[in-house]
Amino acid sequence: MEIGTVETIPEPEAEKRRRRTSLGGGSNTPSGGGRDPGGGPGPNDRETPQQDAFVPEKSRVLTAFLLVIVMMTFGGLTAAYVVIATNNTAEWQPFSLPIQVWISTAILLASSITYHLGKTRLDASERESAKKWLVATTVLGAAFISSQLLTWLELRNRGFYLSGNPYSGFFYILTAVHAIHVLGGIIALASVLLRVWYPTANDAEMLKRRSIAQVVGWYWHFMGGVWIVLFVLLGFWK
């Protein structure tokens, strides 16, 4: 080194990086707790809940709303029946109930019992047993529809038609509207049976199965209660 000159010592590279960081200089590492500069979520952020998750309360509210509509429908029909039955008009000619009506009543009551047993087994996670009881309920529902068809054929053979006799007209209308609703219940019951047919270890799927079975049970038992009311009206309020 010559006299009168100053020789500069190179600064270590690590010291340069430390100084830039302390002064707020640029860095290649993004900050902000794992978020990118645009504000997007980082890998450590929690995922939001799924928007399409099954909500049991929603199915229960919808089923309760449906039952109110069904109750209003049959309430209007039975009120009209009672009014005309109490007027004692000459055209009102009641007849004895065919034996098929009694058979239909027994079938529907038995189907309520089998469905209750199937629902109980499903809640206890006894899938195979639940499946058997639900199959029995479906068969009984189909037998009820078949019994209704035989009832209408019997009335036709007796000479009772939809028109001419208000009592026979109400009989056809009330039983036909009820049979249509039972047919809808059989379709809903089939959906429950298809879900239960295969085993699953998914907790969300089990919750969905039990919730759907519960609301379908509400509908099925409700239609059984409606049939008892119709049976009493047609058979004993003439």
Side-chain angles (χ1 to χ4, degrees), residues 15 18 34 58 86 167 184 195-196:
E15 182 67 20
R18 187 190 64 78
K58 184 183 296 184
T86 54
Y167 176 80
R195 284 187 172 276
V196 178

Side-chain angles (χ1 to χ4, degrees), residues 67 70 74 108 112 177-182 185 217-228:
L67 293 180
V70 174
F74 282 99
L108 203 56
S112 289
V177 172
H178 182 270
I180 292 173
H181 284 81
V182 170
W218 291 353
Y219 183 88
W220 193 261
H221 298 315
F222 182 82
M223 295 313 303
V226 170
W227 177 255
I228 295 300

Side-chain angles (χ1 to χ4, degrees), residues 1-2 12 28 30 87 101 118 123 159 172 181 190 200 224 226:
M1 180 176 64
E2 298 181 1
N28 295 328
N87 285 338
V101 176
D123 291 340
Y172 279 106
H181 284 81
T200 182
V226 170

Side-chain angles (χ1 to χ4, degrees), residues 140-160:
L140 289 173
F144 174 82
I145 298 297
S146 300
S147 180
Q148 292 297 92
L149 293 175
L150 294 176
T151 300
W152 300 329
L153 290 176
E154 174 64 21
L155 293 180
R156 187 179 181 87
N157 293 333
R158 291 188 189 181
F160 296 108

